[in-house]
Amino acid sequence: MPSHPDHRGFEIVAREDFSDVTYLLEVHHPQMAKAARAGQFVIVMLHEHGERIPLTIADFDRQKGTITLVIQAVGKTTREMQQVCRVGTHLLALTGPMGEPSQIGGQRHVVCVGGGLGVAPIFPQARAYKESGATVVAVVGFRSKDLVFWEDKFRACCDEVIVCTDDGSAGLKGNVTTGLRQALDADPEIDEVVAIGPPVMMKACAEVTRPRNIKTVVSLNPIMVDGTGMCGGCRVKIGTGIKFACVDGPDFDAHQVDFDDLMVRLKRFSETEKAALARWEEGCRLGTAQPAGK
């Protein structure tokens, strides 16, 4: 993408906190907002010593010239961003849109399923399906009522929204497969299901649709590391072949994904990530934290 005219980077024009770990950043980048399509992602660098992290585009506004990222503070970089990213601050680098856009068009009845943080990236897909003329049911799942976000955004672009909570404090009690089964039972003409969320959730959705022979698409963003296909860290088993999630995806046929292998591979950097987070937190406590990479 062309560089932003502001030498400081890309300005954060809005922030919203959904919980103590989940937050939204709206970033000014007119060129990217114009180019972005549902299903794509960006690579973000917070500062010159920061690591590059892939984040799914949760929304884009071509008129305002902004893209929206919804982030969960789980590792060192995302926690650092949670601390320092405020309205008026800047991200050093923002590259994208990357990945293959979702294949939208021709579907008649679609269910879009989002679990937890996956609720954010499923939104532009639900909106795009609706704009293409499809009937769209959104199934969004959260642990509890206090964690529900964007219900109003989904209701504005979907024909029906089914909210599920693990504890039953809002909507249906249960996980998103409960809502997915309800949607499929209510409409025998559903011809596509899209699911985004933790791998165990996407696998569960695939097992609901498999016996019904309904095309199901999942997004494998969680496996990405480099985001450009150079590192090979996002290798995934699709059917009898191997694909790279960042350049061949991130969308894949859920019934062809080897989810067990995917979940094993997702754990391979867990100890390194824990060590990096511990070092950063100790530095913050002592007031000697160095930027990532130092």
Side-chain angles (χ1 to χ4, degrees):
M1 297 300 299
S3 61
H4 195 284
D6 189 334
H7 69 279
R8 293 171 296 176
F10 302 89
E11 184 179 5
I12 296 168
V13 297
R15 170 171 171 154
E16 185 176 354
D17 289 84
F18 297 131
S19 72
D20 57 349
V21 295
T22 306
Y23 57 100
L24 171 156
L25 300 177
E26 187 175 354
V27 187
H28 187 250
H29 196 321
Q31 300 100 324
M32 192 175 296
K34 183 178 180 180
R37 292 171 64 188
Q40 294 185 298
F41 66 96
V42 295
I43 299 290
V44 174
M45 278 184 69
L46 176 57
H47 49 66
E48 62 181 353
H49 301 294
E51 65 176 332
R52 303 165 66 259
I53 60 170
L55 297 170
T56 308
I57 298 172
D59 197 2
F60 49 87
D61 189 316
R62 304 198 201 283
Q63 281 68 47
K64 291 169 60 180
T66 62
I67 67 160
T68 298
L69 308 171
V70 176
I71 306 163
Q72 196 166 50
V74 293
K76 178 179 63 60
T77 295
T78 49
R79 291 197 186 188
E80 185 178 4
M81 289 175 67
Q82 184 185 32
Q83 282 191 6
V84 305
C85 290
R86 297 287 184 268
V87 173
T89 63
H90 295 73
L91 300 173
L92 175 71
L94 193 60
T95 304
M98 305 179 77
E100 291 294 320
S102 299
Q103 298 300 304
I104 294 173
Q107 300 88 352
R108 296 175 296 113
H109 296 252
V110 181
V111 180
C112 293
V113 186
L117 196 67
V119 169
I122 202 72
F123 170 74
Q125 301 209 30
R127 180 175 59 191
Y129 279 113
K130 187 61 185 173
E131 290 174 348
S132 75
T135 296
V136 181
V137 176
V139 178
V140 291
F142 305 89
R143 290 199 306 274
S144 67
K145 180 180 180 179
D146 293 342
L147 299 176
V148 175
F149 67 89
W150 281 13
E151 183 179 352
D152 56 337
K153 286 173 70 78
F154 280 93
R155 293 198 183 281
C157 71
C158 296
D159 297 277
E160 182 183 1
V161 178
I162 300 173
V163 176
C164 305
T165 51
D166 294 347
D167 62 4
S169 54
L172 297 178
K173 183 176 182 178
N175 60 34
V176 292
T177 57
T178 304
L180 175 58
R181 287 191 180 93
Q182 177 176 300
L184 297 180
D185 290 343
D187 185 354
E189 295 187 50
I190 296 294
D191 52 9
E192 188 162 320
V193 171
V194 184
I196 303 180
V200 66
M201 181 223 98
M202 294 189 287
K203 179 182 179 182
C205 290
E207 294 313 311
V208 169
T209 60
R210 193 189 303 273
R212 301 178 190 237
N213 197 30
I214 298 172
K215 179 182 179 181
T216 304
V217 178
V218 292
S219 177
L220 302 188
N221 282 343
I223 193 70
M224 293 183 193
V225 182
D226 173 78
T228 65
M230 296 295 288
C231 72
C234 67
R235 293 190 305 277
V236 289
K237 292 182 180 178
I238 308 295
T240 59
I242 300 293
K243 299 289 186 180
F244 290 88
C246 63
V247 291
D248 296 317
D251 290 354
F252 294 97
D253 180 344
H255 299 151
Q256 296 293 314
V257 174
D258 186 333
F259 282 103
D260 294 333
D261 179 71
L262 174 70
M263 288 185 275
V264 168
R265 288 178 55 76
L266 276 168
K267 298 177 182 177
R268 69 198 186 284
F269 295 127
S270 59
E271 293 306 314
T272 302
E273 291 166 348
K274 287 178 184 176
L277 177 59
R279 286 195 303 272
W280 178 74
E281 289 181 333
E282 179 68 7
C284 289
R285 187 180 68 81
L286 298 174
T288 58
Q290 293 291 317
K294 284 286 190 178

